[in-house]
Amino acid sequence: MTEDIPAPAEAVYVYAVCRAEEPPDLTGPAGLTCESPLRALAVGPALTAVVQTVRAADFTDEAWQARLADEPELERYARAHHEVVCAVAARLPTVPLPLATLYHDEQRARAALGRESRRFHAALERTANHSEWGVKVYVTDTPAGQAAEAAPRPPAAGAGAGRAYLDRKRSLRDRRDRHRTDALRIADAVDADVSVLATASRRLPPHGGRAPDERRTQVLNATYLVAEERAAELARLARDLRERTGAQVELSGPWVPYSFVGEV
């Protein structure tokens, strides 16, 4: 007969790994719980994890599935996680870890994160003094001057009416195809210009859905790793691209470079 081993009451939640020779300043956000403070955990040469003790029962599979179905609660957790990452990243080169990165105890956390030290150092080297910026490009759904044009009406009776109807339908399709081609060309041009300024870039699938009354389509959804000293240059480029392309070029950031730290 084997003795049942009770499940641990606590777990170690890891927010991020940063480059620090000494324990970092962790004043600021409380994290996911007020029951225990944020603390530093050395995980390798010049590497420190920012961790917090949490109740293990809050992160069982059942508890986490319930949280995923509760949008306000999930948002609260995500916001608390992000606030800690941002606070640390404002002070030190930082690799953010995914939401709900947990270990049973400090020993296991230190061992697991220590095994990834080479990858952490590579990510920190790549992203130090850089920020992540998002660029989204939208074009109107209908070419200028044709907004009021609807689908061709059915042909009226008379000689040549059917051919005229087909010609109008073909012409409308051709204009739509040209508009789509022009829109994709704009997306490629914006991406190329911003990529020259950026250290790295990631092009993401455009968002297909939009509000029923919104007559625009997203043709570029990309994120860029940009040196902090080039932020003003990026803002000027975005303004120039709006003028040159006539498209809606939306710039967001700066963010902690979540997209460029790699799989850790």
PDB file of all heavy atoms in Angstrom, residues 12-44:
ATOM      1  N   VAL A  12       5.325  28.368  -7.447  1.00  0.00           N
ATOM      2  CA  VAL A  12       6.147  29.533  -7.776  1.00  0.00           C
ATOM      3  C   VAL A  12       5.750  30.018  -9.164  1.00  0.00           C
ATOM      4  O   VAL A  12       5.884  29.286 -10.155  1.00  0.00           O
ATOM      5  CB  VAL A  12       7.651  29.184  -7.737  1.00  0.00           C
ATOM      6  CG1 VAL A  12       8.491  30.374  -8.195  1.00  0.00           C
ATOM      7  CG2 VAL A  12       8.051  28.765  -6.332  1.00  0.00           C
ATOM      8  N   TYR A  13       5.246  31.232  -9.214  1.00  0.00           N
ATOM      9  CA  TYR A  13       4.824  31.852 -10.472  1.00  0.00           C
ATOM     10  C   TYR A  13       5.967  32.717 -10.985  1.00  0.00           C
ATOM     11  O   TYR A  13       6.527  33.525 -10.250  1.00  0.00           O
ATOM     12  CB  TYR A  13       3.578  32.707 -10.240  1.00  0.00           C
ATOM     13  CG  TYR A  13       2.952  33.266 -11.490  1.00  0.00           C
ATOM     14  CD1 TYR A  13       1.810  32.698 -12.026  1.00  0.00           C
ATOM     15  CD2 TYR A  13       3.510  34.372 -12.144  1.00  0.00           C
ATOM     16  CE1 TYR A  13       1.229  33.204 -13.184  1.00  0.00           C
ATOM     17  CE2 TYR A  13       2.943  34.872 -13.297  1.00  0.00           C
ATOM     18  CZ  TYR A  13       1.807  34.291 -13.817  1.00  0.00           C
ATOM     19  OH  TYR A  13       1.243  34.789 -14.962  1.00  0.00           O
ATOM     20  N   VAL A  14       6.318  32.561 -12.264  1.00  0.00           N
ATOM     21  CA  VAL A  14       7.442  33.296 -12.844  1.00  0.00           C
ATOM     22  C   VAL A  14       6.920  34.298 -13.871  1.00  0.00           C
ATOM     23  O   VAL A  14       6.213  33.932 -14.817  1.00  0.00           O
ATOM     24  CB  VAL A  14       8.461  32.354 -13.504  1.00  0.00           C
ATOM     25  CG1 VAL A  14       9.689  33.136 -13.965  1.00  0.00           C
ATOM     26  CG2 VAL A  14       8.870  31.244 -12.541  1.00  0.00           C
ATOM     27  N   TYR A  15       7.280  35.561 -13.692  1.00  0.00           N
ATOM     28  CA  TYR A  15       6.854  36.623 -14.600  1.00  0.00           C
ATOM     29  C   TYR A  15       7.846  36.855 -15.735  1.00  0.00           C
ATOM     30  O   TYR A  15       7.458  37.066 -16.890  1.00  0.00           O
ATOM     31  CB  TYR A  15       6.695  37.945 -13.834  1.00  0.00           C
ATOM     32  CG  TYR A  15       5.581  37.944 -12.839  1.00  0.00           C
ATOM     33  CD1 TYR A  15       5.797  37.539 -11.520  1.00  0.00           C
ATOM     34  CD2 TYR A  15       4.301  38.353 -13.194  1.00  0.00           C
ATOM     35  CE1 TYR A  15       4.774  37.534 -10.592  1.00  0.00           C
ATOM     36  CE2 TYR A  15       3.269  38.357 -12.272  1.00  0.00           C
ATOM     37  CZ  TYR A  15       3.502  37.950 -10.965  1.00  0.00           C
ATOM     38  OH  TYR A  15       2.483  37.945 -10.053  1.00  0.00           O
ATOM     39  N   ALA A  16       9.128  36.874 -15.399  1.00  0.00           N
ATOM     40  CA  ALA A  16      10.129  37.261 -16.385  1.00  0.00           C
ATOM     41  C   ALA A  16      11.504  36.863 -15.885  1.00  0.00           C
ATOM     42  O   ALA A  16      11.694  36.548 -14.706  1.00  0.00           O
ATOM     43  CB  ALA A  16      10.080  38.773 -16.622  1.00  0.00           C
ATOM     44  N   VAL A  17      12.454  36.901 -16.807  1.00  0.00           N
ATOM     45  CA  VAL A  17      13.869  36.724 -16.469  1.00  0.00           C
ATOM     46  C   VAL A  17      14.604  37.958 -16.955  1.00  0.00           C
ATOM     47  O   VAL A  17      14.395  38.413 -18.094  1.00  0.00           O
ATOM     48  CB  VAL A  17      14.453  35.458 -17.114  1.00  0.00           C
ATOM     49  CG1 VAL A  17      15.970  35.398 -16.928  1.00  0.00           C
ATOM     50  CG2 VAL A  17      13.796  34.209 -16.541  1.00  0.00           C
ATOM     51  N   CYS A  18      15.442  38.523 -16.086  1.00  0.00           N
ATOM     52  CA  CYS A  18      16.135  39.752 -16.455  1.00  0.00           C
ATOM     53  C   CYS A  18      17.642  39.594 -16.242  1.00  0.00           C
ATOM     54  O   CYS A  18      18.092  38.683 -15.541  1.00  0.00           O
ATOM     55  CB  CYS A  18      15.613  40.943 -15.664  1.00  0.00           C
ATOM     56  SG  CYS A  18      15.735  40.762 -13.873  1.00  0.00           S
ATOM     57  N   ARG A  19      18.373  40.482 -16.863  1.00  0.00           N
ATOM     58  CA  ARG A  19      19.820  40.510 -16.680  1.00  0.00           C
ATOM     59  C   ARG A  19      20.130  41.421 -15.505  1.00  0.00           C
ATOM     60  O   ARG A  19      19.834  42.617 -15.551  1.00  0.00           O
ATOM     61  CB  ARG A  19      20.505  41.017 -17.943  1.00  0.00           C
ATOM     62  CG  ARG A  19      22.034  41.055 -17.837  1.00  0.00           C
ATOM     63  CD  ARG A  19      22.631  41.708 -19.058  1.00  0.00           C
ATOM     64  NE  ARG A  19      22.396  40.896 -20.249  1.00  0.00           N
ATOM     65  CZ  ARG A  19      22.381  41.394 -21.484  1.00  0.00           C
ATOM     66  NH1 ARG A  19      22.533  42.683 -21.679  1.00  0.00           N
ATOM     67  NH2 ARG A  19      22.191  40.592 -22.521  1.00  0.00           N
ATOM     68  N   ALA A  20      20.677  40.863 -14.454  1.00  0.00           N
ATOM     69  CA  ALA A  20      20.939  41.653 -13.248  1.00  0.00           C
ATOM     70  C   ALA A  20      22.078  41.019 -12.458  1.00  0.00           C
ATOM     71  O   ALA A  20      22.031  39.825 -12.142  1.00  0.00           O
ATOM     72  CB  ALA A  20      19.687  41.751 -12.383  1.00  0.00           C
ATOM     73  N   GLU A  21      23.077  41.809 -12.147  1.00  0.00           N
ATOM     74  CA  GLU A  21      24.174  41.333 -11.303  1.00  0.00           C
ATOM     75  C   GLU A  21      23.765  41.303  -9.836  1.00  0.00           C
ATOM     76  O   GLU A  21      24.265  40.504  -9.051  1.00  0.00           O
ATOM     77  CB  GLU A  21      25.396  42.239 -11.475  1.00  0.00           C
ATOM     78  CG  GLU A  21      25.943  42.288 -12.892  1.00  0.00           C
ATOM     79  CD  GLU A  21      26.595  40.988 -13.325  1.00  0.00           C
ATOM     80  OE1 GLU A  21      26.850  40.142 -12.453  1.00  0.00           O
ATOM     81  OE2 GLU A  21      26.835  40.824 -14.541  1.00  0.00           O
ATOM     82  N   GLU A  22      22.820  42.177  -9.482  1.00  0.00           N
ATOM     83  CA  GLU A  22      22.317  42.261  -8.108  1.00  0.00           C
ATOM     84  C   GLU A  22      20.798  42.121  -8.135  1.00  0.00           C
ATOM     85  O   GLU A  22      20.165  42.325  -9.176  1.00  0.00           O
ATOM     86  CB  GLU A  22      22.714  43.597  -7.478  1.00  0.00           C
ATOM     87  CG  GLU A  22      24.226  43.809  -7.388  1.00  0.00           C
ATOM     88  CD  GLU A  22      24.563  45.164  -6.799  1.00  0.00           C
ATOM     89  OE1 GLU A  22      23.627  45.955  -6.581  1.00  0.00           O
ATOM     90  OE2 GLU A  22      25.759  45.424  -6.577  1.00  0.00           O
ATOM     91  N   PRO A  23      20.173  41.780  -7.016  1.00  0.00           N
ATOM     92  CA  PRO A  23      18.713  41.680  -6.980  1.00  0.00           C
ATOM     93  C   PRO A  23      18.061  42.964  -7.473  1.00  0.00           C
ATOM     94  O   PRO A  23      18.425  44.063  -7.036  1.00  0.00           O
ATOM     95  CB  PRO A  23      18.407  41.431  -5.499  1.00  0.00           C
ATOM     96  CG  PRO A  23      19.634  40.764  -4.983  1.00  0.00           C
ATOM     97  CD  PRO A  23      20.783  41.403  -5.726  1.00  0.00           C
ATOM     98  N   PRO A  24      17.124  42.875  -8.409  1.00  0.00           N
ATOM     99  CA  PRO A  24      16.512  44.070  -8.989  1.00  0.00           C
ATOM    100  C   PRO A  24      15.525  44.740  -8.043  1.00  0.00           C
ATOM    101  O   PRO A  24      15.028  44.120  -7.086  1.00  0.00           O
ATOM    102  CB  PRO A  24      15.790  43.520 -10.214  1.00  0.00           C
ATOM    103  CG  PRO A  24      15.469  42.109  -9.844  1.00  0.00           C
ATOM    104  CD  PRO A  24      16.622  41.633  -9.007  1.00  0.00           C
ATOM    105  N   ASP A  25      15.250  46.000  -8.318  1.00  0.00           N
ATOM    106  CA  ASP A  25      14.235  46.754  -7.584  1.00  0.00           C
ATOM    107  C   ASP A  25      12.860  46.264  -8.040  1.00  0.00           C
ATOM    108  O   ASP A  25      12.510  46.392  -9.217  1.00  0.00           O
ATOM    109  CB  ASP A  25      14.410  48.242  -7.880  1.00  0.00           C
ATOM    110  CG  ASP A  25      13.338  49.104  -7.215  1.00  0.00           C
ATOM    111  OD1 ASP A  25      12.550  48.561  -6.411  1.00  0.00           O
ATOM    112  OD2 ASP A  25      13.288  50.310  -7.513  1.00  0.00           O
ATOM    113  N   LEU A  26      12.084  45.705  -7.142  1.00  0.00           N
ATOM    114  CA  LEU A  26      10.774  45.149  -7.487  1.00  0.00           C
ATOM    115  C   LEU A  26       9.632  45.933  -6.869  1.00  0.00           C
ATOM    116  O   LEU A  26       8.525  45.415  -6.709  1.00  0.00           O
ATOM    117  CB  LEU A  26      10.708  43.681  -7.057  1.00  0.00           C
ATOM    118  CG  LEU A  26      11.710  42.746  -7.746  1.00  0.00           C
ATOM    119  CD1 LEU A  26      11.568  41.327  -7.226  1.00  0.00           C
ATOM    120  CD2 LEU A  26      11.541  42.783  -9.259  1.00  0.00           C
ATOM    121  N   THR A  27       9.882  47.174  -6.520  1.00  0.00           N
ATOM    122  CA  THR A  27       8.812  48.017  -6.014  1.00  0.00           C
ATOM    123  C   THR A  27       7.860  48.356  -7.159  1.00  0.00           C
ATOM    124  O   THR A  27       8.260  48.440  -8.312  1.00  0.00           O
ATOM    125  CB  THR A  27       9.372  49.312  -5.414  1.00  0.00           C
ATOM    126  OG1 THR A  27      10.133  50.007  -6.416  1.00  0.00           O
ATOM    127  CG2 THR A  27      10.254  49.017  -4.219  1.00  0.00           C
ATOM    128  N   GLY A  28       6.605  48.532  -6.813  1.00  0.00           N
ATOM    129  CA  GLY A  28       5.624  48.876  -7.836  1.00  0.00           C
ATOM    130  C   GLY A  28       4.448  47.930  -7.811  1.00  0.00           C
ATOM    131  O   GLY A  28       3.787  47.776  -6.770  1.00  0.00           O
ATOM    132  N   PRO A  29       4.163  47.246  -8.917  1.00  0.00           N
ATOM    133  CA  PRO A  29       2.990  46.370  -8.985  1.00  0.00           C
ATOM    134  C   PRO A  29       3.036  45.254  -7.952  1.00  0.00           C
ATOM    135  O   PRO A  29       4.102  44.752  -7.606  1.00  0.00           O
ATOM    136  CB  PRO A  29       3.060  45.806 -10.408  1.00  0.00           C
ATOM    137  CG  PRO A  29       3.933  46.733 -11.160  1.00  0.00           C
ATOM    138  CD  PRO A  29       4.911  47.285 -10.182  1.00  0.00           C
ATOM    139  N   ALA A  30       1.852  44.870  -7.493  1.00  0.00           N
ATOM    140  CA  ALA A  30       1.759  43.791  -6.494  1.00  0.00           C
ATOM    141  C   ALA A  30       1.790  42.417  -7.134  1.00  0.00           C
ATOM    142  O   ALA A  30       2.056  41.425  -6.455  1.00  0.00           O
ATOM    143  CB  ALA A  30       0.476  43.950  -5.689  1.00  0.00           C
ATOM    144  N   GLY A  31       1.507  42.333  -8.435  1.00  0.00           N
ATOM    145  CA  GLY A  31       1.444  41.033  -9.084  1.00  0.00           C
ATOM    146  C   GLY A  31       0.063  40.417  -8.984  1.00  0.00           C
ATOM    147  O   GLY A  31      -0.941  41.109  -8.860  1.00  0.00           O
ATOM    148  N   LEU A  32       0.016  39.096  -8.989  1.00  0.00           N
ATOM    149  CA  LEU A  32      -1.261  38.392  -9.008  1.00  0.00           C
ATOM    150  C   LEU A  32      -1.935  38.319  -7.647  1.00  0.00           C
ATOM    151  O   LEU A  32      -3.134  38.076  -7.564  1.00  0.00           O
ATOM    152  CB  LEU A  32      -1.058  36.964  -9.521  1.00  0.00           C
ATOM    153  CG  LEU A  32      -0.588  36.813 -10.968  1.00  0.00           C
ATOM    154  CD1 LEU A  32      -0.398  35.343 -11.298  1.00  0.00           C
ATOM    155  CD2 LEU A  32      -1.588  37.437 -11.929  1.00  0.00           C
ATOM    156  N   THR A  33      -1.182  38.498  -6.584  1.00  0.00           N
ATOM    157  CA  THR A  33      -1.748  38.355  -5.244  1.00  0.00           C
ATOM    158  C   THR A  33      -1.072  39.309  -4.274  1.00  0.00           C
ATOM    159  O   THR A  33       0.103  39.646  -4.458  1.00  0.00           O
ATOM    160  CB  THR A  33      -1.582  36.903  -4.742  1.00  0.00           C
ATOM    161  OG1 THR A  33      -2.076  36.801  -3.416  1.00  0.00           O
ATOM    162  CG2 THR A  33      -0.133  36.472  -4.772  1.00  0.00           C
ATOM    163  N   CYS A  34      -1.818  39.721  -3.278  1.00  0.00           N
ATOM    164  CA  CYS A  34      -1.250  40.550  -2.208  1.00  0.00           C
ATOM    165  C   CYS A  34      -0.776  39.699  -1.029  1.00  0.00           C
ATOM    166  O   CYS A  34      -0.273  40.230  -0.042  1.00  0.00           O
ATOM    167  CB  CYS A  34      -2.288  41.563  -1.734  1.00  0.00           C
ATOM    168  SG  CYS A  34      -2.738  42.790  -2.981  1.00  0.00           S
ATOM    169  N   GLU A  35      -0.948  38.389  -1.150  1.00  0.00           N
ATOM    170  CA  GLU A  35      -0.591  37.499  -0.041  1.00  0.00           C
ATOM    171  C   GLU A  35       0.914  37.276   0.069  1.00  0.00           C
ATOM    172  O   GLU A  35       1.406  36.872   1.128  1.00  0.00           O
ATOM    173  CB  GLU A  35      -1.308  36.156  -0.215  1.00  0.00           C
ATOM    174  CG  GLU A  35      -2.829  36.273  -0.143  1.00  0.00           C
ATOM    175  CD  GLU A  35      -3.516  34.951  -0.389  1.00  0.00           C
ATOM    176  OE1 GLU A  35      -2.800  33.931  -0.561  1.00  0.00           O
ATOM    177  OE2 GLU A  35      -4.762  34.916  -0.424  1.00  0.00           O
ATOM    178  N   SER A  36       1.650  37.509  -1.002  1.00  0.00           N
ATOM    179  CA  SER A  36       3.105  37.360  -0.962  1.00  0.00           C
ATOM    180  C   SER A  36       3.731  38.379  -1.901  1.00  0.00           C
ATOM    181  O   SER A  36       3.143  38.726  -2.930  1.00  0.00           O
ATOM    182  CB  SER A  36       3.519  35.938  -1.366  1.00  0.00           C
ATOM    183  OG  SER A  36       3.149  35.682  -2.709  1.00  0.00           O
ATOM    184  N   PRO A  37       4.926  38.870  -1.592  1.00  0.00           N
ATOM    185  CA  PRO A  37       5.553  39.898  -2.429  1.00  0.00           C
ATOM    186  C   PRO A  37       6.268  39.297  -3.630  1.00  0.00           C
ATOM    187  O   PRO A  37       6.572  38.098  -3.669  1.00  0.00           O
ATOM    188  CB  PRO A  37       6.566  40.526  -1.470  1.00  0.00           C
ATOM    189  CG  PRO A  37       6.959  39.391  -0.569  1.00  0.00           C
ATOM    190  CD  PRO A  37       5.717  38.568  -0.385  1.00  0.00           C
ATOM    191  N   LEU A  38       6.526  40.131  -4.603  1.00  0.00           N
ATOM    192  CA  LEU A  38       7.423  39.740  -5.681  1.00  0.00           C
ATOM    193  C   LEU A  38       8.816  39.567  -5.101  1.00  0.00           C
ATOM    194  O   LEU A  38       9.203  40.272  -4.171  1.00  0.00           O
ATOM    195  CB  LEU A  38       7.457  40.818  -6.767  1.00  0.00           C
ATOM    196  CG  LEU A  38       6.143  41.135  -7.485  1.00  0.00           C
ATOM    197  CD1 LEU A  38       6.355  42.314  -8.418  1.00  0.00           C
ATOM    198  CD2 LEU A  38       5.625  39.929  -8.247  1.00  0.00           C
ATOM    199  N   ARG A  39       9.580  38.649  -5.671  1.00  0.00           N
ATOM    200  CA  ARG A  39      10.947  38.480  -5.197  1.00  0.00           C
ATOM    201  C   ARG A  39      11.838  38.018  -6.346  1.00  0.00           C
ATOM    202  O   ARG A  39      11.352  37.563  -7.390  1.00  0.00           O
ATOM    203  CB  ARG A  39      11.019  37.492  -4.035  1.00  0.00           C
ATOM    204  CG  ARG A  39      10.641  36.070  -4.365  1.00  0.00           C
ATOM    205  CD  ARG A  39      10.661  35.196  -3.116  1.00  0.00           C
ATOM    206  NE  ARG A  39      10.470  33.794  -3.419  1.00  0.00           N
ATOM    207  CZ  ARG A  39       9.295  33.218  -3.655  1.00  0.00           C
ATOM    208  NH1 ARG A  39       8.186  33.945  -3.607  1.00  0.00           N
ATOM    209  NH2 ARG A  39       9.219  31.932  -3.928  1.00  0.00           N
ATOM    210  N   ALA A  40      13.129  38.139  -6.143  1.00  0.00           N
ATOM    211  CA  ALA A  40      14.110  37.738  -7.153  1.00  0.00           C
ATOM    212  C   ALA A  40      14.617  36.337  -6.872  1.00  0.00           C
ATOM    213  O   ALA A  40      14.813  35.956  -5.720  1.00  0.00           O
ATOM    214  CB  ALA A  40      15.261  38.735  -7.167  1.00  0.00           C
ATOM    215  N   LEU A  41      14.833  35.591  -7.935  1.00  0.00           N
ATOM    216  CA  LEU A  41      15.351  34.231  -7.822  1.00  0.00           C
ATOM    217  C   LEU A  41      16.491  34.081  -8.828  1.00  0.00           C
ATOM    218  O   LEU A  41      16.271  34.134 -10.047  1.00  0.00           O
ATOM    219  CB  LEU A  41      14.249  33.209  -8.126  1.00  0.00           C
ATOM    220  CG  LEU A  41      14.653  31.730  -8.075  1.00  0.00           C
ATOM    221  CD1 LEU A  41      15.001  31.331  -6.648  1.00  0.00           C
ATOM    222  CD2 LEU A  41      13.521  30.855  -8.621  1.00  0.00           C
ATOM    223  N   ALA A  42      17.719  33.919  -8.336  1.00  0.00           N
ATOM    224  CA  ALA A  42      18.873  33.750  -9.222  1.00  0.00           C
ATOM    225  C   ALA A  42      18.753  32.425  -9.960  1.00  0.00           C
ATOM    226  O   ALA A  42      18.531  31.372  -9.345  1.00  0.00           O
ATOM    227  CB  ALA A  42      20.155  33.796  -8.415  1.00  0.00           C
ATOM    228  N   VAL A  43      18.895  32.471 -11.287  1.00  0.00           N
ATOM    229  CA  VAL A  43      18.736  31.244 -12.094  1.00  0.00           C
ATOM    230  C   VAL A  43      19.944  30.973 -12.983  1.00  0.00           C
ATOM    231  O   VAL A  43      19.925  30.036 -13.776  1.00  0.00           O
ATOM    232  CB  VAL A  43      17.454  31.323 -12.957  1.00  0.00           C
ATOM    233  CG1 VAL A  43      16.233  31.374 -12.077  1.00  0.00           C
ATOM    234  CG2 VAL A  43      17.500  32.502 -13.904  1.00  0.00           C
ATOM    235  N   GLY A  44      20.983  31.771 -12.887  1.00  0.00           N
ATOM    236  CA  GLY A  44      22.169  31.554 -13.694  1.00  0.00           C
ATOM    237  C   GLY A  44      23.072  32.759 -13.636  1.00  0.00           C
ATOM    238  O   GLY A  44      22.732  33.769 -13.006  1.00  0.00           O
TER     239      GLY A  44
END
